[in-house]
């Protein structure tokens, strides 16, 4: 259908031409048109326009939209053709790597919803951006980039002046020129130290104050020795300039500042890219609701404007915009977003429903009981938001060493002073300053941020987005893993896992369910008929002659001349005369294991029963064995029923005491808290739903998995874009690699520092030596960081063979459907 | 060599101009997206007409 849209507009030849031009290749998935008129109609409302757009001169407005589905040059070309395709659009600029569309248009000539619809026909879904977080981040990055550009300019000029000084310009030969060179260097270095160095001074000062309060060296971090080196070097050089005697170290200092700022900027940039991947916040709660007015008509209102006791209409397929009570209708509801439960729940008049759940089968009317931030989901999100801003600053390995580093350097300085006081007092200050400048931890300060920046980039290319710095180190020290079940350990969808009885009966039932929206119907169809719903090519299969859906119980119809009934065993029992013993015991067995049984009756006789459940992913077993063999404790926390969780735990070899079902989102968080008070080793939490968000944020490392909800993405430290546990293995291996690289870089810089200190103590170091040695050490560290082999694609772990991953029941098991 | 007393300040003034330009570039967002302009370069100015297969 997208192809048709392209062809109609005459774009196809150009589009496909550009498609092949993108250098990195596209991971293009076939596009499906997505035009949701209801969602788009919100774009034209006053509140939306006020909140998300800016007014410009001439009646134009501008907006930044996140465009889902753009991935190559052709998309850029297509999207940027908007001004030619829709009058009233002045400018459309697409930022491809960030998938951000900057649009300038006239709302009176072309409505934003029309633009959204036009984009939607090509498969691009437009979403409003959440401005605050991303713009704050990029503003900080821009300031740092400006700062570092200026510092490099200053450093370059100071270095040029130093050439003259190294080449022999001295007070004895050309007094005035030397004075000029020194003063110019001073004036150039001053802004570098004050403007560029301020970054380090501020942080060093606050860490010193913390250390003084706590009377400990522990709180000092890398910036402290850096700030010390810069200050001593600059003041001594300034003094030397004024008194016209002594060495001048401006060049080393300015290069030092510029190099450290560069490492910091690269680091910030890599974190920004990872953060933006998770920042693509799509609304979790629908922003529009259908309110029923007293006159009986339906109006669309923003969800924030809802009031308690409003009557709402919720159609099949809609997400509930608020917590409330059902007043009319009977339908099934999917609560997976909140509880992780994959089974739909029947609701009728008088049932409570929660915002965020999906209404599946029939339209409902409901009365609002709680809206916005008072809904359960709203409270969970608020909890996550306030928690994420409190994450403390992380003390890396290098930072922890810096306390000892400062002490050692100061001791050595004192030693040098004492030594040279003895040997040749005139050279004492020179050598002490030389020591402090050359041991200034340029390389040491660059090692960690650089290695992390490069590793984050490599990880991102493997689909692992790491938002927090501490994640790398914490991952290598994990003691406990807490896993969510649905979607993480299991596939996350209903599948036919077992059946008892005639296969033709199952096929007939599958034919009946071809139009079904129910997950079990879908599962049955894909298992028996080998195709996924909704499908266009059902034409040659026998269509059901009659089809009746009995709410909450089952379906009834005629297929191929037979009366077919499929549904809950209790209901089927009321519709048939007998329920054979073998099927009844099968039903009991299935229920005990936590599967959902469905009975099928053909022409009035029960001919089969089948069980539906959420199958375990094939990768889970081997990885969990490996993790437990390493000595880590694994827990399963799930909102799904305890029987299901126990079955899964038994399958995977996890002690039943460590598997808990029916866990509420709040209880998950409390569980993590309690674990943290008991154990010292860090705890990692892996999950994907809103029900995991609060726990993800509380854990030492929170990992959100593909398909996760917005809340879990915001709460987590790491975001895996591939499902299952395999990316987790890659993550842990990668983290080990990175820590090794960091230690290697730190080792190199420490060796350099020791050699440098020795040279300074021996009186061999002058500004020229420092100017060569310091960049050399930085270069070594940079090379060491770049040449890291972390996050290479891993081979999947070989699995211990099990005959059937899903269950070990003594019943007939279906063949694994191909293509599932 | 006295001319250098003039030349160095002039050089620094020129460098300052460059720095000012850099600051403007960073703040006006020139460095925000360095990948898409490379793709945009390849696109033609004249918009394709429906049915135009010459591109």
């Amino acid at each position: 259908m997208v192809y048709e849209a392209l062809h109609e507009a005459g774009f196809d030849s150009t589009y496909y031409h550009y498609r092949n031009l993108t250098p990195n290749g596209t991971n293009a998935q076939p596009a499906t048109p997505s035009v949701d008129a209801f969602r788009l109609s919100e774009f034209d409302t006053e509140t939306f326009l006020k909140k998300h757009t800016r007014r410009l001169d001439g009646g134009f407005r501008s907006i930044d939209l996140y465009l889902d589905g753009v991935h190559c040059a052709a998309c850029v070309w297509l999207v940027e053709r908007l001004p030619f395709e829709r009058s009233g659009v002045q400018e459309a600029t697409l930022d491809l790597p960030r998938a951000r569309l900057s649009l300038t248009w006239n709302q009176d000539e072309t409505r934003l919803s029309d633009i959204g619809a036009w984009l939607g026909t090509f498969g691009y879904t437009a979403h409003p951006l959440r401005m605050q977080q991303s713009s704050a981040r990029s503003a900080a990055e821009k300031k740092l980039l400006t700062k570092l550009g200026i510092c490099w300019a200053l450093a370059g000029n100071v270095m040029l002046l130093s050439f003259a000084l190294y080449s022999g310009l001295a007070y004895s030969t050309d007094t005035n020129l030397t004075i000029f060179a020194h003063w110019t260097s001073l004036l150039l270095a001053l802004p570098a130290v004050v403007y560029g160095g301020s970054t380090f001074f501020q942080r060093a000062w606050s860490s010193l104050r913390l250390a003084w309060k706590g009377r400990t060296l522990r709180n000092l971090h890398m910036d402290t020795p850096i700030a010390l080196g810069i200050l001593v070097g600059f003041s001594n050089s300034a003094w030397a300039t004024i008194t016209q005697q002594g060495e001048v170290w401006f060049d080393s200092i300015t290069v030092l500042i510029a190099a450290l700022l560069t490492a910091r900027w690269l680091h910030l940039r890599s974190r920004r890219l990872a953060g933006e991947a998770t920042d693509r916040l799509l609304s979790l709660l629908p922003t529009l609701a259908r309110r029923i007015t007293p006159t009986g008509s339906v109006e669309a209102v923003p969800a924030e404007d809802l009031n308690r006791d409003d009557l709402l209409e919720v159609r099949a397929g809609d997400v509930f915009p608020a917590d409330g009570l059902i007043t009319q209708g009977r339908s099934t509801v999917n609560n997976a977003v909140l509880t992780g439960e994959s089974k739909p729940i029947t609701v009728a008049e008088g049932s409570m429903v929660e915002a965020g759940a999906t209404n599946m089968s029939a339209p409902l009317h409901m009365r609002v009981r709680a809206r916005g931030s008072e809904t359960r989901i709203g409270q969970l999100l608020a909890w996550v938001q306030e928690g994420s801003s409190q994450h403390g600053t992380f003390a890396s390995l290098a930072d922890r060493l810096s306390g000892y580093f400062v002490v050692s350097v100061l001791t050595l300085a004192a030693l040098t002073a004492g030594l040279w006081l003895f040997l040749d007092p005139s050279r004492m200050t020179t050598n002490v300053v030389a020591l402090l400048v050359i041991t200034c931890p340029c390389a040491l300060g660059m090692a960690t941020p650089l290695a992390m920046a490069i590793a984050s980039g490599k990880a991102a290319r493997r689909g692992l987005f790491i938002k927090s710095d501490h994640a790398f180190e914490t991952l290598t020290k994990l003691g406990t893993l807490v896993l969510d079940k649905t979607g993480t350990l299991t596939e996350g969808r209903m599948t036919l896992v077992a059946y008892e009885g005639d296969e033709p009966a199952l096929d007939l039932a599958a034919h009946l369910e071809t139009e079904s929206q129910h997950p079990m119907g879908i599962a049955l169809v894909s298992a028996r008929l080998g195709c996924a719903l909704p499908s266009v090519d059902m034409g040659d299969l026998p269509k059901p002659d009659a089809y009746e859906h009995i709410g909450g119980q089952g379906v009834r119809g005629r297929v191929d001349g037979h009366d077919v009934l499929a549904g809950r065993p209790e209901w089927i029992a009321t519709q048939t005369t007998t329920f054979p013993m073998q099927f009844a015991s099968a039903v009991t067995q299935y229920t005990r294991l936590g599967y959902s049984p469905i009975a099928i009756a053909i022409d009035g006789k029960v001919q089969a029963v089948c069980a539906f459940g959420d199958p375990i992913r094939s990768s889970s077993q081997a990885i969990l064995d490996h993790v437990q063999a390493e000595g880590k404790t694994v827990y399963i926390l799930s909102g799904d029923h305890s029987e299901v969780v126990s079955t899964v735990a038994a399958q995977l070899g996890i002690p039943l005491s460590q598997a808990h079902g029916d866990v509420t989102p709040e209880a998950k968080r409390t569980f993590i808290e309690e674990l943290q008070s008991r154990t010292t080793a860090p705890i990692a939490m892996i999950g994907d739903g809103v029900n995991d968000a609060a726990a993800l944020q509380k854990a030492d490392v929170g990992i959100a998995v593909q398909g996760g909800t917005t809340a879990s993405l915001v709460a987590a430290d790491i975001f895996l874009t591939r499902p299952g546990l395999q990316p987790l293995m890659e993550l842990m291996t990668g983290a080990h690699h990175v820590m090794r690289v960091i230690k290697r870089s730190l080792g190199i810089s420490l060796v350099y520092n020791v050699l440098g200190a020795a040279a300074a103590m021996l009186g061999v170091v002058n500004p020229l030596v420092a100017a060569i040695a310091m960049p050399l050490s930085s270069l070594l560290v940079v090379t060491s960081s770049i040449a890291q082999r972390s996050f290479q694609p891993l081979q999947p772990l070989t699995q211990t063979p099990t005959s059937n991953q899903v269950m070990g029941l003594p019943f007939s098991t279906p063949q694994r459907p191909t293509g599932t | 060599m006295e001319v250098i007393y003039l030349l160095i300040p002039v050089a620094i003034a020129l460098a300052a101009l460059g720095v000012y330009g850099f600051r403007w570039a960073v703040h006006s967002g020139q460095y925000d997206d360095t990948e898409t302009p490379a793709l945009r370069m390849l696109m033609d100015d004249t918009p394709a007409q429906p049915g135009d297969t010459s591109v």
Side-chain angles (χ1 to χ4, degrees), chain A residues 13 18 80-81 93-97 142 176-177, chain B residues 5 26 32-33 35-36 39-40 43-44 47 52:
Chain A
S13 50
Y18 285 131
E80 292 189 347
R81 285 195 55 79
T93 315
L94 182 65
D95 180 335
L96 184 63
K142 271 191 198 168
N176 286 336
L177 278 175
Chain B
Y5 293 129
V26 171
D32 284 344
D33 176 17
E35 282 138 45
T36 319
L39 298 171
R40 232 176 261 135
M43 295 172 190
D44 292 333
D52 186 355

PDB file of all heavy atoms in Angstrom, chain A residues 13 18 80-81 93-97 142 176-177, chain B residues 5 26 32-33 35-36 39-40 43-44 47 52:
ATOM      1  N   SER A  13      10.388   6.082  -8.790  1.00  0.00           N
ATOM      2  CA  SER A  13      11.728   5.891  -9.342  1.00  0.00           C
ATOM      3  C   SER A  13      12.775   6.636  -8.525  1.00  0.00           C
ATOM      4  O   SER A  13      13.817   6.088  -8.192  1.00  0.00           O
ATOM      5  CB  SER A  13      11.777   6.356 -10.791  1.00  0.00           C
ATOM      6  OG  SER A  13      11.220   7.651 -10.871  1.00  0.00           O
ATOM      7  N   TYR A  18      17.214   6.729  -4.393  1.00  0.00           N
ATOM      8  CA  TYR A  18      17.867   7.237  -3.203  1.00  0.00           C
ATOM      9  C   TYR A  18      17.997   6.177  -2.129  1.00  0.00           C
ATOM     10  O   TYR A  18      18.867   6.239  -1.285  1.00  0.00           O
ATOM     11  CB  TYR A  18      17.103   8.433  -2.631  1.00  0.00           C
ATOM     12  CG  TYR A  18      17.288   9.685  -3.431  1.00  0.00           C
ATOM     13  CD1 TYR A  18      16.209  10.453  -3.825  1.00  0.00           C
ATOM     14  CD2 TYR A  18      18.557  10.088  -3.800  1.00  0.00           C
ATOM     15  CE1 TYR A  18      16.391  11.597  -4.550  1.00  0.00           C
ATOM     16  CE2 TYR A  18      18.741  11.228  -4.546  1.00  0.00           C
ATOM     17  CZ  TYR A  18      17.653  11.992  -4.916  1.00  0.00           C
ATOM     18  OH  TYR A  18      17.836  13.121  -5.640  1.00  0.00           O
ATOM     19  N   GLU A  80      11.277  15.729   2.855  1.00  0.00           N
ATOM     20  CA  GLU A  80      11.592  17.131   2.598  1.00  0.00           C
ATOM     21  C   GLU A  80      10.890  17.652   1.355  1.00  0.00           C
ATOM     22  O   GLU A  80      11.061  18.817   0.983  1.00  0.00           O
ATOM     23  CB  GLU A  80      13.112  17.313   2.510  1.00  0.00           C
ATOM     24  CG  GLU A  80      13.749  17.082   3.884  1.00  0.00           C
ATOM     25  CD  GLU A  80      15.212  17.451   3.945  1.00  0.00           C
ATOM     26  OE1 GLU A  80      15.827  17.662   2.871  1.00  0.00           O
ATOM     27  OE2 GLU A  80      15.746  17.536   5.063  1.00  0.00           O
ATOM     28  N   ARG A  81      10.131  16.819   0.685  1.00  0.00           N
ATOM     29  CA  ARG A  81       9.320  17.279  -0.426  1.00  0.00           C
ATOM     30  C   ARG A  81       8.008  17.886   0.044  1.00  0.00           C
ATOM     31  O   ARG A  81       7.211  18.355  -0.765  1.00  0.00           O
ATOM     32  CB  ARG A  81       9.001  16.098  -1.350  1.00  0.00           C
ATOM     33  CG  ARG A  81      10.181  15.685  -2.183  1.00  0.00           C
ATOM     34  CD  ARG A  81       9.718  14.802  -3.306  1.00  0.00           C
ATOM     35  NE  ARG A  81       8.677  15.477  -4.074  1.00  0.00           N
ATOM     36  CZ  ARG A  81       8.903  16.405  -4.970  1.00  0.00           C
ATOM     37  NH1 ARG A  81      10.134  16.790  -5.214  1.00  0.00           N
ATOM     38  NH2 ARG A  81       7.907  16.967  -5.618  1.00  0.00           N
ATOM     39  N   THR A  93      12.577  20.093   7.353  1.00  0.00           N
ATOM     40  CA  THR A  93      13.952  19.604   7.416  1.00  0.00           C
ATOM     41  C   THR A  93      14.016  18.387   8.313  1.00  0.00           C
ATOM     42  O   THR A  93      13.545  18.415   9.444  1.00  0.00           O
ATOM     43  CB  THR A  93      14.881  20.684   8.027  1.00  0.00           C
ATOM     44  OG1 THR A  93      14.595  21.925   7.439  1.00  0.00           O
ATOM     45  CG2 THR A  93      16.333  20.324   7.792  1.00  0.00           C
ATOM     46  N   LEU A  94      14.596  17.331   7.786  1.00  0.00           N
ATOM     47  CA  LEU A  94      14.665  16.095   8.554  1.00  0.00           C
ATOM     48  C   LEU A  94      16.078  15.864   9.052  1.00  0.00           C
ATOM     49  O   LEU A  94      17.040  15.938   8.301  1.00  0.00           O
ATOM     50  CB  LEU A  94      14.230  14.919   7.676  1.00  0.00           C
ATOM     51  CG  LEU A  94      14.212  13.553   8.376  1.00  0.00           C
ATOM     52  CD1 LEU A  94      13.175  13.529   9.459  1.00  0.00           C
ATOM     53  CD2 LEU A  94      13.942  12.450   7.364  1.00  0.00           C
ATOM     54  N   ASP A  95      16.206  15.611  10.343  1.00  0.00           N
ATOM     55  CA  ASP A  95      17.482  15.233  10.934  1.00  0.00           C
ATOM     56  C   ASP A  95      17.456  13.716  11.023  1.00  0.00           C
ATOM     57  O   ASP A  95      16.815  13.145  11.897  1.00  0.00           O
ATOM     58  CB  ASP A  95      17.561  15.881  12.333  1.00  0.00           C
ATOM     59  CG  ASP A  95      18.846  15.557  13.056  1.00  0.00           C
ATOM     60  OD1 ASP A  95      19.469  14.523  12.772  1.00  0.00           O
ATOM     61  OD2 ASP A  95      19.229  16.354  13.929  1.00  0.00           O
ATOM     62  N   LEU A  96      18.142  13.072  10.083  1.00  0.00           N
ATOM     63  CA  LEU A  96      17.968  11.626   9.953  1.00  0.00           C
ATOM     64  C   LEU A  96      18.407  10.821  11.164  1.00  0.00           C
ATOM     65  O   LEU A  96      17.661   9.987  11.652  1.00  0.00           O
ATOM     66  CB  LEU A  96      18.678  11.132   8.685  1.00  0.00           C
ATOM     67  CG  LEU A  96      18.484   9.651   8.377  1.00  0.00           C
ATOM     68  CD1 LEU A  96      17.033   9.361   8.125  1.00  0.00           C
ATOM     69  CD2 LEU A  96      19.314   9.256   7.170  1.00  0.00           C
ATOM     70  N   PRO A  97      19.639  11.038  11.678  1.00  0.00           N
ATOM     71  CA  PRO A  97      20.044  10.193  12.802  1.00  0.00           C
ATOM     72  C   PRO A  97      19.159  10.346  14.026  1.00  0.00           C
ATOM     73  O   PRO A  97      19.010   9.413  14.801  1.00  0.00           O
ATOM     74  CB  PRO A  97      21.482  10.631  13.087  1.00  0.00           C
ATOM     75  CG  PRO A  97      21.707  11.862  12.312  1.00  0.00           C
ATOM     76  CD  PRO A  97      20.722  11.921  11.241  1.00  0.00           C
ATOM     77  N   LYS A 142      26.502  21.716  23.538  1.00  0.00           N
ATOM     78  CA  LYS A 142      26.931  22.836  22.690  1.00  0.00           C
ATOM     79  C   LYS A 142      27.887  23.747  23.433  1.00  0.00           C
ATOM     80  O   LYS A 142      28.881  24.214  22.883  1.00  0.00           O
ATOM     81  CB  LYS A 142      25.707  23.656  22.273  1.00  0.00           C
ATOM     82  CG  LYS A 142      25.047  23.195  21.016  1.00  0.00           C
ATOM     83  CD  LYS A 142      24.036  24.210  20.562  1.00  0.00           C
ATOM     84  CE  LYS A 142      23.085  23.578  19.584  1.00  0.00           C
ATOM     85  NZ  LYS A 142      21.936  24.423  19.318  1.00  0.00           N
ATOM     86  N   ASN A 176      63.501  42.031  25.154  1.00  0.00           N
ATOM     87  CA  ASN A 176      62.158  42.534  24.893  1.00  0.00           C
ATOM     88  C   ASN A 176      61.267  41.508  24.225  1.00  0.00           C
ATOM     89  O   ASN A 176      60.091  41.350  24.576  1.00  0.00           O
ATOM     90  CB  ASN A 176      62.237  43.796  24.026  1.00  0.00           C
ATOM     91  CG  ASN A 176      62.726  44.958  24.844  1.00  0.00           C
ATOM     92  OD1 ASN A 176      62.584  44.974  26.062  1.00  0.00           O
ATOM     93  ND2 ASN A 176      63.325  45.942  24.191  1.00  0.00           N
ATOM     94  N   LEU A 177      61.854  40.809  23.258  1.00  0.00           N
ATOM     95  CA  LEU A 177      61.048  39.806  22.570  1.00  0.00           C
ATOM     96  C   LEU A 177      60.593  38.707  23.532  1.00  0.00           C
ATOM     97  O   LEU A 177      59.462  38.219  23.451  1.00  0.00           O
ATOM     98  CB  LEU A 177      61.834  39.197  21.407  1.00  0.00           C
ATOM     99  CG  LEU A 177      61.848  40.008  20.115  1.00  0.00           C
ATOM    100  CD1 LEU A 177      62.754  39.357  19.102  1.00  0.00           C
ATOM    101  CD2 LEU A 177      60.451  40.161  19.572  1.00  0.00           C
TER     102      LEU A 177
ATOM    103  N   TYR B   5      55.993  42.615  16.899  1.00  0.00           N
ATOM    104  CA  TYR B   5      55.114  43.208  17.913  1.00  0.00           C
ATOM    105  C   TYR B   5      53.784  43.612  17.317  1.00  0.00           C
ATOM    106  O   TYR B   5      52.780  43.706  18.005  1.00  0.00           O
ATOM    107  CB  TYR B   5      55.760  44.428  18.553  1.00  0.00           C
ATOM    108  CG  TYR B   5      56.982  44.103  19.377  1.00  0.00           C
ATOM    109  CD1 TYR B   5      58.171  44.801  19.166  1.00  0.00           C
ATOM    110  CD2 TYR B   5      56.948  43.123  20.350  1.00  0.00           C
ATOM    111  CE1 TYR B   5      59.287  44.514  19.926  1.00  0.00           C
ATOM    112  CE2 TYR B   5      58.057  42.817  21.103  1.00  0.00           C
ATOM    113  CZ  TYR B   5      59.237  43.521  20.885  1.00  0.00           C
ATOM    114  OH  TYR B   5      60.342  43.242  21.632  1.00  0.00           O
ATOM    115  N   VAL B  26      28.381  26.846  16.272  1.00  0.00           N
ATOM    116  CA  VAL B  26      27.919  25.868  17.251  1.00  0.00           C
ATOM    117  C   VAL B  26      26.540  26.254  17.766  1.00  0.00           C
ATOM    118  O   VAL B  26      25.643  25.427  17.860  1.00  0.00           O
ATOM    119  CB  VAL B  26      28.912  25.755  18.424  1.00  0.00           C
ATOM    120  CG1 VAL B  26      28.319  24.917  19.542  1.00  0.00           C
ATOM    121  CG2 VAL B  26      30.207  25.148  17.956  1.00  0.00           C
ATOM    122  N   ASP B  32      24.790  20.244  14.951  1.00  0.00           N
ATOM    123  CA  ASP B  32      23.836  19.315  15.562  1.00  0.00           C
ATOM    124  C   ASP B  32      23.676  18.042  14.763  1.00  0.00           C
ATOM    125  O   ASP B  32      23.553  16.972  15.298  1.00  0.00           O
ATOM    126  CB  ASP B  32      22.462  19.986  15.684  1.00  0.00           C
ATOM    127  CG  ASP B  32      22.441  20.974  16.816  1.00  0.00           C
ATOM    128  OD1 ASP B  32      23.354  20.915  17.662  1.00  0.00           O
ATOM    129  OD2 ASP B  32      21.515  21.792  16.864  1.00  0.00           O
ATOM    130  N   ASP B  33      23.610  18.189  13.439  1.00  0.00           N
ATOM    131  CA  ASP B  33      23.371  17.028  12.602  1.00  0.00           C
ATOM    132  C   ASP B  33      24.415  17.026  11.512  1.00  0.00           C
ATOM    133  O   ASP B  33      24.361  17.822  10.587  1.00  0.00           O
ATOM    134  CB  ASP B  33      21.964  17.123  12.014  1.00  0.00           C
ATOM    135  CG  ASP B  33      21.681  15.994  11.054  1.00  0.00           C
ATOM    136  OD1 ASP B  33      22.413  14.984  11.076  1.00  0.00           O
ATOM    137  OD2 ASP B  33      20.722  16.116  10.284  1.00  0.00           O
ATOM    138  N   GLU B  35      25.166  14.275   9.659  1.00  0.00           N
ATOM    139  CA  GLU B  35      25.018  13.169   8.702  1.00  0.00           C
ATOM    140  C   GLU B  35      24.016  13.456   7.596  1.00  0.00           C
ATOM    141  O   GLU B  35      24.229  13.091   6.448  1.00  0.00           O
ATOM    142  CB  GLU B  35      24.602  11.908   9.448  1.00  0.00           C
ATOM    143  CG  GLU B  35      25.760  11.253  10.153  1.00  0.00           C
ATOM    144  CD  GLU B  35      25.374  10.761  11.537  1.00  0.00           C
ATOM    145  OE1 GLU B  35      24.297  10.159  11.629  1.00  0.00           O
ATOM    146  OE2 GLU B  35      26.130  10.990  12.482  1.00  0.00           O
ATOM    147  N   THR B  36      22.904  14.110   7.948  1.00  0.00           N
ATOM    148  CA  THR B  36      21.879  14.322   6.930  1.00  0.00           C
ATOM    149  C   THR B  36      22.308  15.265   5.808  1.00  0.00           C
ATOM    150  O   THR B  36      21.982  15.027   4.649  1.00  0.00           O
ATOM    151  CB  THR B  36      20.578  14.836   7.580  1.00  0.00           C
ATOM    152  OG1 THR B  36      20.360  14.122   8.790  1.00  0.00           O
ATOM    153  CG2 THR B  36      19.408  14.626   6.660  1.00  0.00           C
ATOM    154  N   LEU B  39      23.629  13.509   2.859  1.00  0.00           N
ATOM    155  CA  LEU B  39      22.655  12.855   1.995  1.00  0.00           C
ATOM    156  C   LEU B  39      21.899  13.875   1.161  1.00  0.00           C
ATOM    157  O   LEU B  39      21.575  13.632   0.001  1.00  0.00           O
ATOM    158  CB  LEU B  39      21.656  12.065   2.850  1.00  0.00           C
ATOM    159  CG  LEU B  39      22.265  10.947   3.668  1.00  0.00           C
ATOM    160  CD1 LEU B  39      21.239  10.391   4.632  1.00  0.00           C
ATOM    161  CD2 LEU B  39      22.775   9.842   2.769  1.00  0.00           C
ATOM    162  N   ARG B  40      21.671  15.033   1.766  1.00  0.00           N
ATOM    163  CA  ARG B  40      20.902  16.048   1.067  1.00  0.00           C
ATOM    164  C   ARG B  40      21.644  16.572  -0.146  1.00  0.00           C
ATOM    165  O   ARG B  40      21.064  16.996  -1.127  1.00  0.00           O
ATOM    166  CB  ARG B  40      20.598  17.206   2.024  1.00  0.00           C
ATOM    167  CG  ARG B  40      19.143  17.550   2.057  1.00  0.00           C
ATOM    168  CD  ARG B  40      18.849  18.608   3.052  1.00  0.00           C
ATOM    169  NE  ARG B  40      18.350  18.058   4.284  1.00  0.00           N
ATOM    170  CZ  ARG B  40      18.750  18.426   5.487  1.00  0.00           C
ATOM    171  NH1 ARG B  40      19.680  19.334   5.615  1.00  0.00           N
ATOM    172  NH2 ARG B  40      18.244  17.873   6.553  1.00  0.00           N
ATOM    173  N   MET B  43      20.702  15.238  -3.574  1.00  0.00           N
ATOM    174  CA  MET B  43      19.371  15.407  -4.146  1.00  0.00           C
ATOM    175  C   MET B  43      19.331  16.531  -5.141  1.00  0.00           C
ATOM    176  O   MET B  43      20.030  17.523  -5.033  1.00  0.00           O
ATOM    177  CB  MET B  43      18.375  15.654  -3.022  1.00  0.00           C
ATOM    178  CG  MET B  43      18.275  14.448  -2.134  1.00  0.00           C
ATOM    179  SD  MET B  43      17.299  14.786  -0.698  1.00  0.00           S
ATOM    180  CE  MET B  43      17.637  13.328   0.236  1.00  0.00           C
ATOM    181  N   ASP B  44      18.475  16.372  -6.130  1.00  0.00           N
ATOM    182  CA  ASP B  44      18.380  17.375  -7.188  1.00  0.00           C
ATOM    183  C   ASP B  44      17.562  18.561  -6.726  1.00  0.00           C
ATOM    184  O   ASP B  44      16.728  18.460  -5.855  1.00  0.00           O
ATOM    185  CB  ASP B  44      17.702  16.774  -8.412  1.00  0.00           C
ATOM    186  CG  ASP B  44      18.570  15.723  -9.041  1.00  0.00           C
ATOM    187  OD1 ASP B  44      19.801  15.829  -8.883  1.00  0.00           O
ATOM    188  OD2 ASP B  44      18.022  14.809  -9.659  1.00  0.00           O
ATOM    189  N   PRO B  47      12.196  19.621  -8.499  1.00  0.00           N
ATOM    190  CA  PRO B  47      11.342  18.556  -7.970  1.00  0.00           C
ATOM    191  C   PRO B  47      10.867  17.654  -9.096  1.00  0.00           C
ATOM    192  O   PRO B  47      10.561  18.122 -10.182  1.00  0.00           O
ATOM    193  CB  PRO B  47      10.168  19.302  -7.335  1.00  0.00           C
ATOM    194  CG  PRO B  47      10.193  20.651  -7.944  1.00  0.00           C
ATOM    195  CD  PRO B  47      11.577  20.937  -8.392  1.00  0.00           C
ATOM    196  N   ASP B  52       7.939  11.148 -13.849  1.00  0.00           N
ATOM    197  CA  ASP B  52       9.266  11.510 -14.338  1.00  0.00           C
ATOM    198  C   ASP B  52      10.241  10.411 -13.991  1.00  0.00           C
ATOM    199  O   ASP B  52      10.505  10.146 -12.837  1.00  0.00           O
ATOM    200  CB  ASP B  52       9.686  12.836 -13.679  1.00  0.00           C
ATOM    201  CG  ASP B  52      11.001  13.351 -14.247  1.00  0.00           C
ATOM    202  OD1 ASP B  52      11.636  12.659 -15.065  1.00  0.00           O
ATOM    203  OD2 ASP B  52      11.400  14.465 -13.851  1.00  0.00           O
TER     204      ASP B  52
END
